[in-house]
Amino acid sequence: MIQTPGTRVRLTSLSACAGCAAKVPASELARAIAGLPAPTDPNVLVGISTSDDAGVYRLSDELAIVQTVDFFTPIVDDPFDFGRIAAANAISDVYAMGGTPRTALNIVAFPVESLGTEILAEILAGGTSVASAAGVSIVGGHTIKSDEPKYGMAVTGTIHPDRIVTNRGARPGDLLLLTKTVGTGILTTAHKRELIGDRELRPAIESMARLNDRAAAAMLAHGVHAATDVTGYGIVGHGGEMARASSVALAIDARSVRLFDGVLDLIERDVIPGGTRANLDDHAAFVQYGDGVSPALRVAMSDAQTSGGILMSLPRENAERVLADLADLGSAAIVGEVLDGPPGAVIVR
């Protein structure tokens, strides 16, 4: 495809999978890394063993670094919005660990010969705008040529070694709180298929481009026990990782999870991204559905999110305080509870 003056390329037309729906299914990834040796350095405080959001390495008794990397194919057509979303998504992993993001490196794969550099410049500008809002300095990066555009960041943050938030601290009796609305995978797929317009997609774009900084501040202020951000494996998938890491079960109240307008109707029309279908297959091994959970709601609970909210496990008495701190965002909700049940089980009711 050659871009000509006056034409606007639909970035999503250049990718087979969009956003975090492009992630390798969790079960396949687990098989791929099963034979890798675990780090033996005692300063590795968080590694890959619990499928957490980022790695943490201790530099001193007072300081550790949080490291993560995330990149993906275009989930929206506007280059600036794509850059914003990719940056917010990458930075979110540091917030989910309770850290403060500091620096980032851009990661770019782009068809320069066919699209030129103007679109790439817009993508990078979008990423820079979000990084700036987060107080993150972009200090470099790496770029390769590719027929399929990809963009993201490697992000480094800082944290005190004694104040790390992981996905393995959920306790029976905790409430589960999710800070963003769900359904970005369904809506972006519908837009790619030209079943909805820009106006219907705009709320999802703004949600994906919004930093999780306030959510992180609220959870730290009110005694969070465990947290993870909800991205490509959906609320059930990332909830399952939390349940396994914490040796507990999670109960998710499907009707309490906030969904974007039109999501269930689109699912009933079979507008379901490939990543979400892969999630449904993977999640069958550990999820249990109540009789009243409709097929469409089951899909929504496994929908592959991009730059989703933080799922946190909090003492029951503190959850309402977090809701109050985030009330003006209009998207945070208590979505379930932690049970002393089969370790790793997710019950959707």
Side-chain angles (χ1 to χ4, degrees), residues 1-347:
M1 176 185 296
I2 303 295
Q3 185 185 13
T4 58
T7 64
R8 194 65 170 173
V9 174
R10 291 195 68 195
L11 288 179
T12 55
S13 71
L14 304 178
S15 59
C17 299
C20 287
K23 291 179 75 165
V24 173
S27 59
E28 295 180 20
L29 179 60
R31 288 194 294 271
I33 67 175
L36 297 179
T40 57
D41 187 335
N43 288 310
V44 176
L45 304 182
V46 179
I48 64 174
S49 61
T50 56
S51 302
D52 229 312
D53 294 293
V56 182
Y57 188 88
R58 179 173 50 207
L59 298 177
S60 70
D61 291 342
E62 303 292 325
L63 180 65
I65 54 172
V66 185
Q67 292 184 293
T68 186
V69 59
D70 213 316
F71 65 99
F72 47 62
T73 53
I75 191 166
V76 294
D77 290 319
D78 182 84
F80 190 82
D81 283 339
F82 173 39
R84 293 167 65 212
I85 293 166
N89 181 74
I91 294 168
S92 178
D93 287 339
V94 176
Y95 289 132
M97 304 296 292
T100 301
R102 302 292 188 182
T103 64
L105 300 169
N106 281 323
I107 300 170
V108 177
F110 199 76
V112 178
E113 287 92 345
S114 58
L115 295 187
T117 58
E118 180 181 345
I119 290 176
L120 176 56
E122 291 183 55
I123 293 170
L124 295 174
T128 299
S129 71
V130 166
S132 178
V136 170
S137 298
I138 299 176
V139 294
H142 186 67
T143 308
I144 64 169
K145 294 184 289 184
S146 170
D147 292 337
E148 189 176 54
K150 300 174 185 72
Y151 173 62
M153 290 179 170
V155 184
T156 298
T158 55
I159 197 167
H160 192 286
D162 297 334
R163 298 176 193 146
I164 303 165
V165 179
T166 70
N167 64 2
R168 61 177 180 263
R171 305 176 189 177
D174 282 358
L175 291 181
L176 298 172
L177 191 149
L178 181 63
T179 64
K180 283 189 181 182
T181 306
V182 168
T184 59
I186 303 299
L187 290 183
T188 52
T189 297
H191 189 265
K192 184 175 182 178
R193 297 182 188 176
E194 300 184 332
L195 298 174
I196 64 172
D198 293 346
R199 181 176 60 83
E200 291 85 0
L201 185 62
R202 180 50 54 180
I205 289 176
E206 294 307 319
S207 177
M208 291 186 287
R210 192 177 80 219
L211 290 165
N212 279 326
D213 51 349
R214 285 187 53 195
M219 75 178 189
L220 293 172
H222 299 295
V224 68
H225 287 153
T228 184
D229 66 344
V230 175
T231 55
Y233 299 141
I235 185 173
V236 165
H238 291 286
E241 290 175 341
M242 181 185 289
R244 288 189 293 276
S246 303
S247 297
V248 297
L250 302 188
I252 296 174
D253 299 317
R255 288 291 180 184
S256 298
V257 177
R258 296 182 186 272
L259 300 178
F260 289 106
D261 291 344
V263 163
L264 294 181
D265 289 340
L266 288 165
I267 292 171
E268 289 171 354
R269 294 165 59 188
D270 202 36
V271 182
I272 303 171
T276 298
R277 293 188 189 277
N279 285 344
L280 288 165
D281 291 340
D282 263 13
H283 299 169
F286 60 85
V287 66
Q288 305 169 34
Y289 300 105
D291 292 338
V293 183
S294 70
L297 263 179
R298 297 181 185 196
V299 173
M301 296 303 99
S302 290
D303 186 37
Q305 302 303 285
T306 296
S307 192
I310 293 180
L311 177 67
M312 56 186 79
S313 177
L314 289 151
R316 193 167 290 263
E317 62 273 16
N318 292 356
E320 291 291 344
R321 297 171 188 167
V322 174
L323 282 183
D325 285 356
L326 304 178
D328 62 302
L329 299 179
S331 57
I334 295 171
V335 298
E337 61 183 331
V338 181
L339 306 177
D340 186 9
V346 176
I347 302 161

